Amino acid sequence: MDERTTERRKGYAKGQEARMRILDAAIASVRQKGYAATRVDEVASAAGVTKGGFFHHFSSKEEMAVAAAMRWSDVTGQLFEAAPYHLPDDPLDRVLAYIDFRRDIIGGQTDEFTCFAGTLAQETHLSAPTIREAARVAIFDHAQTLTADIEAARTKHCPDAEWTAESLALHIQAVLQGAFIIAKADGGPERARESVGHLRRYAELLFGRRPKSSAN
């Protein structure tokens, strides 16, 4: 490999690192104060790049948001893929363990656990269709990761049920997104955790399992 090729590759790698820093800064800002209040110059500063450097990577704030939704999917996808809820043998136990995992990671300040894609969808569903679509893809694609376990659990525990795995996977996401709104309105995580606890009991009843007593 000649010296010019090596330098080009180093330059590309640095550019990609800067791009990821911008996206991570954008995600943090939107989770903290919303999309409308997020400013390009503040994102650039947090990412350690100039405003001109920002526009080298993104032509607009909207383009940044769309790319950030994809980044959010990648990062959270790795988190969920490595999570322990995949371990139980029974598919219903895996579904319930997923709900438990989602409840357990609700804690701290609201910007630490609320959903970036959900925030984008709430703010831009009418004003920015491109961002709304990116948020929809992030939410629906994550829901899709649950459908195989839900379908296996339905087949095993309630084969005559008329609902679909896809509809339940989206319902779970709807409850979680609603819980995040409750957390933002209430200024803390406790009532959101309670809502997810109700979701778990609902899921157990739906599959014909008697819910265990729980404080949440």
Side-chain angles (χ1 to χ4, degrees):
M1 184 184 303
D2 61 41
E3 185 175 342
R4 284 185 297 179
T5 300
T6 300
E7 289 303 313
R8 282 198 298 269
R9 290 190 176 183
K10 286 182 179 179
Y12 175 79
K14 288 182 180 179
Q16 288 300 104
E17 289 174 5
R19 178 183 173 88
M20 292 302 105
R21 290 200 307 272
I22 292 169
L23 295 178
D24 290 342
I27 289 169
S29 180
V30 170
R31 293 178 82 190
Q32 184 176 46
K33 57 186 180 181
Y35 176 73
T38 291
R39 295 173 52 188
V40 165
D41 55 348
E42 292 175 343
V43 170
S45 178
V49 302
T50 64
K51 195 170 182 179
F54 173 93
F55 285 110
H56 172 75
H57 293 283
F58 304 103
S59 62
S60 64
K61 178 182 171 183
E62 182 171 327
E63 184 180 312
M64 174 200 72
V66 171
M70 297 173 63
R71 170 71 169 167
W72 174 255
S73 292
D74 290 343
V75 172
T76 57
Q78 293 174 25
L79 170 69
F80 289 117
E81 186 176 350
Y85 64 82
H86 300 286
L87 297 176
D89 293 329
D90 190 309
L92 176 54
D93 289 332
R94 293 196 293 273
V95 174
L96 297 176
Y98 167 82
I99 296 172
D100 290 342
F101 179 74
R102 295 304 303 262
R103 182 188 59 206
D104 290 345
I105 61 176
I106 295 176
Q109 300 297 315
T110 54
D111 61 292
E112 299 177 65
F113 63 82
T114 52
C115 179
F116 170 76
T119 300
L120 282 184
Q122 290 167 39
E123 287 197 45
T124 68
H125 66 286
L126 294 178
S127 61
T130 303
I131 299 176
R132 180 203 60 78
E133 175 61 16
R136 186 197 71 81
V137 169
I139 294 169
F140 278 56
D141 280 1
H142 176 66
Q144 187 63 34
T145 67
L146 305 176
T147 56
D149 281 342
I150 293 174
E151 179 59 26
R154 189 188 70 83
T155 299
K156 180 175 181 179
H157 294 279
C158 50
D160 296 329
E162 296 182 355
W163 47 267
T164 66
E166 291 79 6
S167 67
L168 180 56
L170 285 173
H171 176 68
I172 290 171
Q173 302 312 306
V175 174
L176 291 169
Q177 295 294 340
F180 297 149
I181 292 174
I182 292 295
K184 291 176 180 178
D186 198 43
E190 291 307 315
R191 293 185 188 275
R193 289 173 58 86
E194 289 176 358
S195 293
V196 182
H198 285 303
L199 172 63
R200 189 192 205 280
R201 287 186 284 273
Y202 168 77
E204 289 179 286
L205 290 169
L206 192 64
F207 286 97
R209 180 179 290 184
R210 183 180 178 84
K212 296 179 181 178
S213 60
S214 171
N216 291 324

